[in-house]
Amino acid sequence: MRGGEGRGAARALNGVGAGAMGPGQNSHVRVEWIAAVSLAAGAAAVGYLAYKKFLSKDKCSKAMVNPHIQKDNPKVVHAFDMEDLGDKAVYCRCWRSKKFPLCDGSHTKHNEETGDNVGPLIIKRKEA
C-alpha cells in the first residue's frame, strides 16, 4: 500500500470518514432509536398515571363531603312530614352546619374558604 491509501482504508475500517456507515452500524442505530422511543413512551405513561392520581380534578369529585355528621352511620338520612315543616324550612347542603340538617349559615364561611357556591335548600309552603 502506498502512504495515502493505507490511511484511508484504516479510517474506513474504524468507522471514520465519508461512507463509514456499514450495514451493521445502521441496525445498531435502529436499536438505540427503538430503546430511546420505548424509554420516552414509558416515562410518558408513568407521568400520565401520576398526573391522574395526584393532580387530576377527578380526585376532587371523590373527596369526602361530610366531615363530621353521624360518621358512625353507613348513610345519613333525614325524613320530615310536610305537615311538620310549617311555612318555611331551610336545610343545610354544605354539611358544615352545627344545627344539621337545618342550615345555620356555615356555607358562607365554607364558600369563602373553598371558592364553592353551595347554599341552603329552602322549602316554602305555596301561598294560596
Side-chain angles (χ1 to χ4, degrees):
M1 277 195 229
R2 288 182 263 186
E5 292 174 18
R7 278 184 247 142
R11 274 193 228 143
L13 289 174
N14 289 330
V16 179
M21 187 72 103
Q25 290 172 339
N26 191 16
S27 66
H28 180 66
V29 170
R30 189 175 307 140
V31 169
E32 288 179 354
W33 175 253
I34 291 171
V37 169
S38 298
L39 181 65
V46 169
Y48 174 75
L49 292 174
Y51 167 77
K52 290 295 281 182
K53 175 74 175 165
F54 300 111
L55 300 175
S56 178
K57 292 183 188 238
D58 291 342
K59 185 178 179 188
C60 294
S61 66
K62 296 178 184 174
M64 193 175 304
V65 176
N66 178 2
H68 61 277
I69 297 168
Q70 297 182 15
K71 296 304 279 184
D72 53 333
N73 291 338
K75 187 188 298 185
V76 179
V77 177
H78 292 93
F80 299 94
D81 289 328
M82 292 299 289
E83 294 81 25
D84 297 339
L85 292 180
D87 291 336
K88 180 178 171 183
V90 183
Y91 293 99
C92 175
R93 293 192 307 167
C94 72
W95 291 84
R96 296 337 186 242
S97 175
K98 302 286 187 230
K99 299 182 341 183
F100 193 86
L102 300 175
C103 178
D104 68 356
S106 295
H107 58 273
T108 304
K109 181 180 176 189
H110 167 77
N111 290 344
E112 289 171 359
E113 291 174 351
T114 64
D116 205 349
N117 65 347
V118 69
L121 169 64
I122 301 173
I123 300 174
K124 294 192 278 186
R125 195 173 294 276
K126 223 183 222 185
E127 294 182 23

